[in-house]
Amino acid sequence: MSLESLSFPALGSECHLFLVARDPKPLAVGAEWVRGLHERLTRFEPDSELSTFNSTAGTWTKVSPVLESLLREALRAHQVSHGLVHAGTLHALLAAGYTRTFSEGPTKPALRTQHLGPIPPLDDMLEVGHGHARVRAGYGIDLGGIAKGWIADRLAEKLGENSLVNLGGDIYAHGEGEDGRGWPVGFGGTTIFLHDQGVATSGSRSRRWGQSLHHLIDPRTGRPSKTDLEEVSVIAATGADAEIYAKTAFLMGRGAAEYFLGEHCPGWWLYP
Amino acid sequence: MPAWLLKLAAVLVTGLAAAGSAGYVSRHVKSDTAPLHPPVAAPATTVSGAGGGHLNLKPSVQSSSDQQPITFTSVS
């Protein structure tokens, strides 16, 4: 048994897969699975399944099992975060100027304020049935805030009993790592050992494109959030939960974040 | 049964109960350091990082500043 690894770009980020096994082949299969999900779930390609779904806002639309699962996950994230992690912020992201992928360079600063304001609760604008779903007319779904942790959890299960998936900083570690102590992961300036746990980071220090313009929309205002935090990293039971808790804490600000994370997470890093 | 015998028995029972209680109390003196409530889960330890951030790890999280990580979490 040896530690095998594979790095590749996908989901708008750099991805890293690790596997303790005799055969590294599952890594390539896993990378291909992630690329396939990227093509299906990106909002930057007009013919992706997500873009097609958004283009039919107001009507019931057939969705694949993967998109249906992620839309249900979006509703769960909204509930767990008390409404702060909100996948129905696409119109606000576009109004703020986040109109193209960062791989094409920084987006031109813009803030079309006539489109901005408090965003209705997600469960008022998104309905999900078996094999079909509907988003309210005038709104759209962006899965950038929840998809990577959710995918990391599932990919680690697919790779094998002792694997780690890092999708742009959202991580799930499955098993005990190479030496049985847990998977060593950099976290808040130290190394922690993960065993069947997830970690994620949320913050406004990247994906910025102008004064106070970044990709984390506060649904209470419909604008890029303004908090006293720039970055939050958390440990949780899964990558999906870590991503939700990190984003929630970031949007809450330091005071409420300390209390919220103390209730839900075994460890966290707040900056500054 | 004569009345004086009942009175003597009552005095003896009362005296023995008082002596026993005093002995028990003297052997179980209250500790000034005893906790006032049951122990609760240890809180997270907060450490200020060199970069100005604050790291909080509960005792269930194993960490090491000597071990090199194979990967790290970051904002994306």
Side-chain angles (χ1 to χ4, degrees):
Chain A
M1 303 277 255
S2 60
L3 179 63
E4 309 288 345
S5 65
L6 178 67
S7 298
F8 59 98
L11 304 169
S13 305
E14 197 61 29
C15 303
H16 310 277
L17 310 182
F18 300 88
L19 175 65
V20 178
R22 292 190 176 88
D23 180 9
K25 191 176 176 184
L27 295 176
V29 175
E32 197 55 40
W33 185 70
V34 174
R35 290 190 196 100
L37 288 179
H38 171 90
E39 291 172 8
R40 183 183 290 268
L41 302 172
T42 180
R43 69 174 172 92
F44 297 113
E45 296 295 335
D47 56 350
S48 74
E49 183 181 5
L50 180 62
S51 295
T52 301
F53 174 69
N54 284 330
S55 69
T56 59
T59 60
W60 284 96
T61 303
K62 189 177 176 183
V63 294
S64 67
V66 166
L67 182 55
E68 179 186 330
S69 296
L70 271 161
L71 293 175
R72 292 188 188 281
E73 174 69 4
L75 289 168
R76 186 184 78 88
H78 184 260
Q79 185 177 25
V80 168
S81 66
H82 307 289
L84 290 176
V85 177
H86 198 310
T89 58
L90 179 58
H91 69 291
L93 286 166
L94 296 174
Y98 191 4
T99 57
R100 62 184 182 184
T101 175
F102 269 74
S103 64
E104 296 174 8
T107 306
K108 187 178 179 182
L111 194 62
R112 300 199 299 276
T113 53
Q114 70 271 25
H115 294 126
L116 302 180
I119 298 174
L122 186 65
D123 45 11
D124 281 355
M125 70 163 70
L126 176 64
E127 299 167 273
V128 184
H130 290 293
H132 58 293
R134 176 170 68 178
V135 64
R136 189 195 292 184
Y139 294 95
I141 299 297
D142 172 56
L143 297 171
I146 61 164
K148 289 197 286 291
W150 186 92
I151 293 171
D153 293 342
R154 278 141 192 84
L155 180 53
E157 295 280 348
K158 287 174 180 284
L159 288 179
E161 294 179 352
N162 206 354
S163 61
L164 183 146
V165 175
N166 182 350
L167 305 179
D170 297 335
I171 296 172
Y172 184 69
H174 188 33
E176 300 176 335
E178 188 177 18
D179 61 6
R181 294 179 63 194
W183 287 95
V185 172
F187 181 92
T190 189
T191 300
I192 58 171
F193 297 90
L194 299 179
H195 183 176
D196 293 337
Q197 289 172 303
V199 298
T201 298
S202 187
S204 58
R205 292 205 281 182
S206 72
R207 295 183 196 268
R208 302 186 67 95
W209 58 94
Q211 185 71 27
S212 302
L213 294 177
H214 58 84
H215 69 299
L216 292 173
I217 299 294
D218 188 333
R220 296 168 296 188
T221 63
R223 295 165 179 261
S225 66
K226 291 181 179 176
T227 83
D228 54 357
L229 294 171
E230 291 184 26
E231 193 169 305
V232 178
S233 300
V234 309
I235 309 169
T238 66
D241 282 349
E243 195 169 8
I244 294 167
Y245 294 147
K247 207 158 272 100
T248 304
F250 176 83
L251 293 171
M252 283 179 163
R254 176 178 296 281
E258 295 264 13
Y259 178 79
F260 177 80
L261 294 174
E263 290 284 305
H264 292 93
C265 302
W268 61 93
W269 157 264
L270 303 180
Y271 181 87
Chain B
M1 181 177 290
W4 64 267
L5 189 57
L6 290 172
K7 290 178 181 174
L8 179 63
V11 168
L12 286 174
V13 168
T14 305
L16 287 172
S21 300
Y24 180 86
V25 169
S26 64
R27 290 193 305 272
H28 297 83
V29 177
K30 176 184 175 296
S31 170
D32 290 338
T33 59
L36 296 175
H37 52 73
V40 296
T45 303
T46 301
V47 178
S48 294
H54 294 83
L55 177 65
N56 298 266
L57 296 177
K58 291 182 180 175
S60 62
V61 179
Q62 288 187 313
S63 66
S64 168
S65 55
D66 300 328
Q67 170 98 28
Q68 285 295 313
I70 61 166
T71 190
F72 57 91
T73 183
S74 60
V75 67
S76 63

